[in-house]
Amino acid sequence: MHADDSAREPAEHARFAAHLVELERVTDADEGALVGGVLADPDPVMARAAVVRHLDRRAAELLPAPLWEEWAEAMARVVTGHPFLVRRLQEWSLFRAVAIGLPWHRDDLIAASDWLQLKAAAGTNPEALQVLAESGRTKRIRNAARTGLGRRGRG
């Protein structure tokens, strides 16, 4: 990288990078306010991209934790009005249910995005693998689920 590269970097790229750093460092107490602040950025596409990265990171960290419900509810309040982010949180909740053995519905998994179906197909829940092997949205998802079922059969 040359010294003058940052001067040519578009402002939204610099803000995106700054948002990611802030989101990485935010305390639990300040997380909702910061996420709301990022979503108020003048570039809504960039702001949602930064927030979805944050949601993905935090959801993965909190997946097995008892704090999950409180965190997910707080984030749901903040992302209201942003359909993609609302759906991402809902899908993380479904993935959590599949991953840790909470109740979930077959139809919800079948209706889920490719992102979630691929994530679940890489998991170990035999019921989810069977559903996705039979009814996954794409050939890639169905094959990944079948591979997962095969691993379980050998395990």
Side-chain angles (χ1 to χ4, degrees), residues 24 28 55-65 68 92:
E24 179 79 27
D28 291 349
L55 293 179
D56 287 350
R57 181 183 58 78
R58 287 288 285 159
E61 287 173 3
L62 294 172
L63 198 67
W68 168 269
W92 268 109

Side-chain angles (χ1 to χ4, degrees), residues 78-103:
V78 175
V79 302
T80 297
H82 300 276
F84 176 78
L85 298 173
V86 168
R87 179 161 184 183
R88 186 61 143 236
L89 269 176
Q90 290 169 340
E91 289 197 338
W92 268 109
S93 292
L94 176 57
F95 179 74
R96 180 176 187 261
V98 168
I100 67 171
L102 298 173

Side-chain angles (χ1 to χ4, degrees), residues 11-13 15-20 23 34-55 78-79 82 84-85:
E12 63 272 11
H13 291 197
R15 287 196 321 275
F16 179 77
H19 289 324
L20 292 179
L23 289 164
L34 180 57
V35 169
V38 170
L39 289 173
D41 189 278
D43 184 337
V45 173
M46 178 275 297
R48 284 189 300 269
V51 170
V52 80
R53 280 196 190 182
H54 175 70
L55 293 179
V78 175
V79 302
H82 300 276
F84 176 78
L85 298 173

